[in-house]
């Protein structure tokens, strides 16, 4: 089979390497495996951004009903990414700060950073500014479950906390204790930050 791109039912274009059988196998040569892992990482993060997915679990590699099936499996070449290979890729992504284990203290489920915490911080701050929420206190729930569509809708709380931490360090946000849990006040930005 020729190595060509393929468009999935969801409209995502799989790169031509996805049609290569060795891509789905852990390689014994460390340099080759490093390249395979880098390609898988780009593919996973691109697909997550395309579908707005945040979670990836090792067991998704064997679940035909998983949201990840069209990426982790290629029926045209009869290949599927093995769970042990996916676990190694996720470990590499965590080490490179492109994902984080969630919940903590386990290694089979991650939250993906298809935007870095710094990028989410800018999205969050721009959203707060454009919606008139500077100098107001908002709960985390109001941010991730807004009444109108928002780029932050469905954002997992651990990623939101990382974004707020970035804003706090640059004096553009302040964590506030509120009756319903956690909240944040967005502060007018300091010029040049």
């Amino acid at each position: 089979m020729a190595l060509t791109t393929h468009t999935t039912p969801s409209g995502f274009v799989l790169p031509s390497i996805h049609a290569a059988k060795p891509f789905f196998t852990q390689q014994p040569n460390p340099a080759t495996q490093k390249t395979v892992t880098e390609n898988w990482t780009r593919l996973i993060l691109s697909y997550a951004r395309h579908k707005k997915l945040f979670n990836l679990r090792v067991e998704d590699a064997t679940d035909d009903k998983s949201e990840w099936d069209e990426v982790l499996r290629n029926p045209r070449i009869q290949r599927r990414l093995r769970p042990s290979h996916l676990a190694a890729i996720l470990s590499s992504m965590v080490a490179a700060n492109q994902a984080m284990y969630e919940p903590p203290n386990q290694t089979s489920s991650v939250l993906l950073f298809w935007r870095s915490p710094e990028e989410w911080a800018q999205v969050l701050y721009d959203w707060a500014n454009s919606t008139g929420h500077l100098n107001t206190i908002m709960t985390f729930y109001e941010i991730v479950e807004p009444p109108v569509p928002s780029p932050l809708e469905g954002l997992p709380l651990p990623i939101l906390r990382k974004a707020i931490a970035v804003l706090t360090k640059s004096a553009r946000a302040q964590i506030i204790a509120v009756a319903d849990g956690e909240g944040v006040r967005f502060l007018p930005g300091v010029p040049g930050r």
Side-chain angles (χ1 to χ4, degrees):
M1 175 178 211
L3 297 184
T4 60
T5 61
H6 176 76
T7 303
T8 67
S10 72
F12 182 75
V13 178
L14 292 167
S16 58
I17 195 168
H18 194 265
K21 289 181 179 183
F23 186 55
F24 289 84
T25 308
Q26 281 186 282
Q27 300 299 308
N29 180 301
T32 304
Q33 182 56 44
K34 182 177 186 284
T35 301
V36 168
T37 298
E38 289 168 354
N39 280 297
W40 268 112
T41 298
R42 274 194 298 280
L43 176 58
I44 287 168
L45 292 175
S46 296
Y47 185 74
R49 186 178 199 122
H50 170 76
K51 298 267 301 207
K52 296 191 176 187
L53 300 174
F54 292 99
N55 299 90
L56 179 56
R57 304 164 305 146
V58 169
E59 61 256 28
D60 287 326
T62 58
D63 183 357
D64 291 344
K65 296 189 183 346
S66 164
E67 298 173 293
W68 290 93
D69 187 57
E70 64 184 11
V71 169
L72 301 179
R73 183 172 64 100
N74 186 337
R76 295 175 317 284
I77 60 170
Q78 299 175 349
R79 288 291 185 264
R80 173 188 295 274
L81 191 65
R82 295 193 185 279
S84 60
H85 192 181
L86 180 56
I89 293 165
L90 296 182
S91 174
S92 173
M93 292 176 74
V94 168
N97 202 30
Q98 295 168 311
M100 67 184 273
Y101 289 118
E102 183 62 33
N105 303 320
Q106 54 78 42
T107 58
S108 64
S109 178
V110 298
L111 284 177
L112 299 166
F113 298 150
W114 42 268
R115 281 190 174 132
S116 69
E118 293 75 18
E119 290 170 321
W120 278 117
Q122 193 58 52
V123 169
L124 175 59
Y125 192 78
D126 291 346
W127 172 81
N129 192 29
S130 69
T131 57
H133 287 102
L134 292 185
N135 285 320
T136 61
I137 297 172
M138 298 189 70
T139 65
F140 288 8
Y141 177 80
E142 290 173 309
I143 295 169
V144 299
E145 298 294 334
V148 296
S150 153
L152 302 162
E153 195 169 345
L155 185 67
L157 290 181
I159 296 176
L160 177 63
R161 283 188 187 95
K162 284 185 171 286
I164 291 171
V166 170
L167 294 176
T168 300
K169 286 180 187 171
S170 62
R172 294 183 290 166
Q174 176 184 23
I175 298 287
I176 305 289
V178 295
D180 296 350
E182 298 173 288
V184 61
R185 173 185 287 138
F186 297 101
L187 306 169
V190 177
R193 289 202 183 178

